[in-house]
Amino acid sequence: MNLKARVAESFSETTQQLVAAALDFASKWLGGRTRYDGTPLLNHSLAVAEIVITEIGLGRNSTLASILHDVVRIAYKELSEEEFSTLVDRISSDFGKEVAGITLGLNNISTLKVKTSKEQASNFRELIVAYSEDPRVILIKLADRLEVMRSLAIFPKEKHRKKAWESMNLYAQIAHKLGLYNIKSELEDIALKYLEPQDYAHIHQKLSESEAERLAFIARFLEPITERLDKLGVRYHIKSRTKSIFSIWNKMRKQQVPFEGVYDIFALRIIIDCEKEEEKRLCWTVYSVVSDCYRPNPERMRDWISIPKSNGYESLHTTVSAGDGRWVEIQIRTERMDAVAERGIAAHWRYKGVNQGAQTSEMWLSRLRELLEEKGGSIAERFDAKPATKELFVFTPNGDIRKLPEGATILDFAFDIHTNLGATCSGGRVNGRAVSIREPLRNGDIVEIMTQKNQTPKADWLNVVVTAKARSRIKAYLREEQLKNARIGREELERKIKNWKVEATIDEAVAYLCKYFKLKTGTELYALIATQKIEIGSLKEILNHWLSGAADEERRQAAAEQEAEKLRAAERKEAAPARSDALVIDEGINRIEYKLAKCCNPIKGDEVFGFITVGTGITIHRTDCPNARRLRENFPYRVIEARWRESVDGAFRVTIAIVAKSEPGIANQITEIVSRELHLNIRTMTLNSRGDGTALGTISVEVPSVGVVDTLIHSICRIKGVQRAYRV
């Protein structure tokens, strides 16, 4: 049946006239343009429109947008901005604003440059959703992709694998979330045909050879069950459906079994028609009938009726022996339970909750699926059009996608790529346009970072960035600079006081100078000296005036302040617990200089001690550091106690050693757990085969405290194939 016949069957006379006008418009605009096999390009648009009507069930505006979407896509590439705007206005005028909006949304998705990377797939799926402000956009895009896959043979061979990968990892997953299972399965099967042609052909042949025998077997198998159920007067019906080729292939691969080793080549569902109060009793009654007829495998019994899954799924699953080594899986549920499962609520994806009143993209897709099943009114009228994800997705120039929070700037993007890139960022280019570091980003922007060698982070950068990563890196740099300036300033002041032969200790001089310049700490004074904001030569006159007696009162106040501070320190020491004389490690670097040892990388929560190093202050080591024993034995007079302040926060680097089986994809699983589930930042990772079937490597991760390390190691050890993980 061609498109005009479908339209005549489904729509009113008015809509038929609009469709005819859209066909005429598209035909004139696309006239002479062909597909790879020489057929008119318009054929693609017509096929997409037919899928939209018959297989998804959308209405007039979606049909019109499907017919016109290639017109807008090609016009966007070939026309000037003014000419393109005029074309869109014409479509809006002739066919409606909604139709024009849908075609623009489809064009936005078409311009995305997808990199075939599993690590990027989740971000791309969310970006596609974020671009679909009108929910119909994503549905028509699925129809568009389905038509492309059905026609993939006409495309050049170099496009086959890329389009197949996108269909399997991006579009099929979206269809699955929406509950469009037929589209999902077809996309996956066609994709598998091109990605794994030998495996596909093997399974297809096995299914064809066994089809007649399988149908006969199902009829024989069900006979005693249906006879017993009919006698009991149970109202029911049975569904039987062969698994998709992709599903069979996936199970063979995961379980490492041949075709004959897959238990559930077909699925049998016994669906009971009853009142809700009778559900549990009748489900168990049917289970009893099945287990009386055939011997069940107790290890494959699943009771999701007594305790439903967290996503609401309810069903009884049992696998029974049908003799001759054959096993059959049977699912027992009621009409209500089946309806819940069929709506997609029981899909394998977990839906996130509502975050600050905004729906995540997964909740948005789930809601869209429910709306598709409702009757009456247009989808757009029944739907809050824009999915407020509070996230945006932008691209690097080479096509990598990065996910950032709403409000993120050029500077956030630079730090998200790499700390050094952020630290030297001087601006950027967004879609080819030069912008400052403060430029906010939008979905789909292509961002290039500009740097300067002499650029360094500034304190006001903290007002520019919104991501925790960028803020922590800027603060770390500022702390490091403050430490360096404090050291340089103090050394210079000490040297000058000695040369000037000032008759006062450095501490007395600093106390007076801080009071003179109205500074709170000596560190502030040192920093001003180091950055030449206070001229060092001017201090000689100030100190001589003080010591000459002309400023005796100021000197007495400075001395009194110093003595008072010593007294307060002594009182704190007496009042504090036994360990109060230990160095307290926090962000108070204004009071004392310290750094974390690179040999053992201590993090908050580790038992630590301080070691006084010549010229560089105090270095913090773990008590189980490889160098700890040597330092304590050879330099006991330079060892001091240290402890962490409870309130200290920041990012500490920890290195985990990993021993795992040398299997493809093990590294991806590890990074997925660390980045996606634990939301930790990976700095470096290596994993090298040792030639004996195992691989040895390390992963360096930023953590807030030692408590997270145990969770990190436990999560890595749960990955199939990981034999051992431990901190180094």
Side-chain angles (χ1 to χ4, degrees):
M1 186 180 291
N2 60 30
L3 178 62
K4 286 186 178 179
R6 293 286 188 194
V7 171
E9 185 182 82
S10 306
F11 300 121
S12 68
E13 184 66 32
T14 303
T15 298
Q16 292 176 46
Q17 291 174 5
L18 275 173
V19 170
L23 287 170
D24 185 56
F25 186 93
S27 179
K28 289 177 181 176
W29 217 95
L30 299 175
R33 298 177 187 272
T34 61
R35 305 186 81 182
Y36 292 104
D37 63 346
T39 58
L41 178 58
L42 183 60
N43 287 2
H44 165 69
S45 299
L46 303 185
V48 172
E50 192 166 347
I51 293 171
V52 162
I53 296 170
T54 59
E55 298 183 48
I56 302 181
L58 296 179
R60 180 188 70 187
N61 289 339
S62 299
T63 303
L64 295 172
S66 301
I67 295 170
L68 298 171
H69 80 279
D70 268 341
V71 173
V72 174
R73 178 177 62 84
I74 294 172
Y76 180 78
K77 293 180 180 178
E78 298 181 356
L79 300 184
S80 68
E81 188 173 333
E82 185 177 346
E83 290 171 327
F84 179 73
S85 179
T86 301
L87 176 72
V88 173
D89 288 343
R90 169 80 185 280
I91 292 173
S92 179
S93 173
D94 291 356
F95 305 104
K97 290 183 179 180
E98 286 190 18
V99 173
I102 294 170
T103 59
L104 288 173
L106 289 165
N107 183 60
N108 282 338
I109 296 175
S110 297
T111 59
L112 298 178
K113 303 299 181 185
V114 180
K115 290 186 73 176
T116 52
S117 162
K118 286 189 176 179
E119 291 79 7
Q120 300 274 297
S122 176
N123 283 346
F124 271 110
R125 286 194 294 268
E126 292 191 50
L127 177 56
I128 289 169
V129 171
Y131 263 27
S132 306
E133 293 189 7
D134 188 307
R136 290 165 291 192
V137 170
I138 204 163
L139 298 171
I140 298 170
K141 186 59 188 176
L142 286 174
D144 175 86
R145 178 47 62 119
L146 181 59
E147 199 286 327
V148 166
M149 291 304 289
R150 287 173 177 175
S151 310
L152 196 55
I154 71 172
F155 284 71
K157 286 188 177 180
E158 59 268 21
K159 292 182 176 285
H160 288 178
R161 290 193 66 84
K162 184 173 187 295
K163 290 196 177 293
W165 187 93
E166 291 172 3
S167 297
M168 182 180 290
N169 292 282
L170 303 181
Y171 296 102
Q173 302 301 330
I174 294 172
H176 182 69
K177 286 186 189 181
L178 293 176
L180 300 171
Y181 302 121
N182 290 336
I183 291 178
K184 166 193 178 287
S185 296
E186 187 173 353
L187 285 174
E188 288 175 336
D189 279 0
I190 300 173
L192 184 66
K193 181 179 179 180
Y194 286 91
L195 294 173
E196 302 291 345
Q198 292 182 341
D199 290 352
Y200 178 90
H202 170 71
I203 297 171
H204 186 272
Q205 181 183 356
K206 288 284 188 181
L207 285 174
S208 299
E209 290 174 352
S210 60
E211 183 176 12
E213 186 274 333
R214 189 165 57 253
L215 293 174
F217 169 78
I218 291 173
R220 292 196 307 273
F221 175 84
L222 287 174
E223 190 175 345
I225 296 175
T226 56
E227 185 180 341
R228 293 278 299 275
L229 291 178
D230 290 342
K231 284 183 179 179
L232 290 172
V234 177
R235 298 193 307 275
Y236 69 94
H237 67 277
I238 296 175
K239 289 183 182 178
S240 172
R241 183 179 144 194
T242 304
K243 291 179 76 71
S244 69
I245 293 177
F246 174 82
S247 295
I248 295 170
W249 173 81
N250 206 29
K251 187 154 285 191
M252 289 169 60
R253 183 172 57 91
K254 286 185 176 180
Q255 297 181 356
Q256 297 292 303
V257 295
F259 178 87
E260 292 75 15
V262 178
Y263 274 134
D264 48 352
I265 294 296
F266 59 88
L268 291 177
R269 287 183 192 162
I270 302 176
I271 301 170
I272 307 163
D273 180 12
C274 68
E275 298 298 323
K276 195 173 188 303
E277 296 75 16
E278 292 289 301
E279 286 184 336
K280 286 187 179 181
R281 182 183 69 80
L282 285 175
C283 283
W284 284 108
T285 297
V286 173
Y287 172 79
S288 176
V289 168
V290 172
S291 59
D292 283 346
C293 296
Y294 300 100
R295 178 173 59 85
N297 181 345
E299 294 181 0
R300 293 180 62 83
M301 167 67 185
R302 300 290 183 269
D303 175 11
W304 286 306
I305 289 180
S306 300
I307 305 177
K309 284 187 176 182
S310 58
N311 56 18
Y313 180 88
E314 295 175 87
S315 187
L316 277 180
H317 290 197
T318 183
T319 301
V320 298
S321 172
D324 299 325
R326 297 188 68 165
W327 295 86
V328 178
E329 180 176 338
I330 299 177
Q331 300 170 3
I332 303 167
R333 60 179 67 155
T334 64
E335 295 279 6
R336 180 190 64 83
M337 297 173 187
D338 192 55
V340 170
E342 288 297 319
R343 273 206 306 270
I345 296 172
H348 298 299
W349 295 75
R350 270 192 184 178
Y351 297 124
K352 299 175 184 177
V354 174
N355 181 16
Q356 297 178 350
Q359 289 179 310
T360 65
S361 59
E362 291 186 9
M363 288 288 288
W364 182 78
L365 287 169
S366 174
R367 173 64 182 141
L368 175 55
R369 175 56 190 158
E370 293 173 11
L371 288 169
L372 283 175
E373 295 182 345
E374 293 177 11
K375 296 181 180 179
S378 70
I379 294 176
E381 290 172 353
R382 290 180 274 135
F383 196 79
D384 180 12
K386 186 173 181 179
T389 62
K390 296 300 180 185
E391 294 172 338
L392 54 88
F393 304 85
V394 293
F395 295 89
T396 64
N398 66 358
D400 286 323
I401 191 170
R402 314 294 290 200
K403 180 164 67 172
L404 296 167
E406 278 187 348
T409 62
I410 285 285
L411 199 55
D412 285 299
F413 179 83
F415 275 105
D416 190 65
I417 299 292
H418 195 277
T419 298
N420 290 341
L421 193 67
T424 56
C425 176
S426 59
R429 292 185 180 277
V430 175
N431 305 322
R433 176 174 57 91
V435 297
S436 74
I437 61 173
R438 300 174 180 271
E439 180 74 10
L441 300 176
R442 294 178 296 276
N443 264 329
D445 281 345
I446 300 173
V447 184
E448 180 182 0
I449 298 300
M450 313 300 289
T451 61
Q452 291 182 356
K453 288 184 179 179
N454 59 351
Q455 178 70 287
T456 57
K458 309 294 190 296
D460 66 348
W461 282 17
L462 293 171
N463 299 323
V464 176
V465 297
V466 299
T467 60
K469 180 178 180 180
R471 294 184 68 83
S472 67
R473 298 297 186 279
I474 294 168
K475 285 181 178 179
Y477 178 86
L478 295 176
R479 284 196 297 267
E480 187 177 333
E481 283 296 298
Q482 194 175 20
L483 273 173
K484 184 172 71 174
N485 288 335
R487 185 167 59 249
I488 293 171
R490 183 180 175 90
E491 288 173 356
E492 187 172 356
L493 182 60
E494 282 183 321
R495 186 168 60 251
K496 290 294 184 181
I497 286 177
K498 185 176 181 181
N499 292 340
W500 294 335
K501 295 182 172 53
V502 173
E503 295 181 0
T505 66
I506 180 69
D507 290 336
E508 287 178 326
V510 169
Y512 175 73
L513 289 171
C514 284
K515 187 172 288 294
Y516 180 88
F517 288 106
K518 295 180 173 58
L519 302 174
K520 292 182 179 180
T521 65
T523 301
E524 293 178 66
L525 175 68
Y526 303 146
L528 292 172
I529 293 172
T531 56
Q532 299 182 354
K533 292 179 180 177
I534 289 180
E535 174 57 46
I536 188 72
S538 67
L539 300 183
K540 181 178 181 180
E541 184 179 343
I542 295 170
L543 291 173
N544 285 337
H545 172 76
W546 171 50
L547 293 170
S548 68
D552 281 348
E553 182 60 30
E554 293 98 321
R555 187 176 182 182
R556 280 194 295 272
Q557 287 181 4
E561 178 63 28
Q562 184 183 11
E563 289 302 317
E565 177 57 34
K566 287 181 179 178
L567 182 61
R568 286 194 294 269
E571 290 173 350
R572 286 196 298 269
K573 184 174 180 180
E574 290 177 4
R579 294 184 63 203
S580 64
D581 57 344
L583 168 65
V584 178
I585 305 169
D586 60 9
E587 295 185 355
I589 58 173
N590 295 340
R591 298 188 295 278
I592 196 161
E593 299 174 20
Y594 68 84
K595 63 180 181 179
L596 304 179
K598 293 183 179 179
C599 53
C600 56
N601 291 320
I603 63 178
K604 180 187 175 183
D606 284 332
E607 292 292 329
V608 292
F609 68 92
F611 184 76
I612 302 171
T613 53
V614 179
T616 59
I618 298 170
T619 303
I620 307 301
H621 293 262
R622 283 161 45 192
T623 54
D624 60 351
C625 172
N627 297 318
R629 182 175 179 183
R630 176 179 62 81
L631 295 176
R632 288 183 180 278
E633 290 180 353
N634 295 342
F635 310 99
Y637 53 90
R638 290 163 64 181
V639 174
I640 61 174
E641 286 190 52
R643 59 186 172 86
W644 302 93
R645 185 180 297 281
E646 288 300 317
S647 61
V648 67
D649 59 4
F652 302 91
R653 185 182 294 195
V654 64
T655 301
I656 306 297
I658 300 171
V659 180
K661 290 182 181 178
S662 186
E663 297 177 345
I666 191 75
N668 286 343
Q669 293 181 57
I670 294 170
T671 56
E672 186 78 13
I673 287 287
V674 177
S675 298
R676 302 284 183 207
E677 292 190 13
L678 301 181
H679 305 293
L680 298 176
N681 185 36
I682 299 174
R683 298 303 301 271
T684 62
M685 180 175 177
T686 61
L687 199 62
N688 300 312
S689 176
R690 299 198 291 187
D692 60 354
T694 63
L696 177 64
T698 59
I699 181 170
S700 291
V701 180
E702 289 184 349
V703 299
S705 68
V706 72
V708 178
V709 178
D710 293 336
T711 303
L712 173 63
I713 292 174
H714 176 71
S715 297
I716 292 174
C717 287
R718 285 194 295 110
I719 298 172
K720 185 177 180 182
V722 173
Q723 298 174 347
R724 188 180 174 211
Y726 55 93
R727 182 180 173 189
V728 294

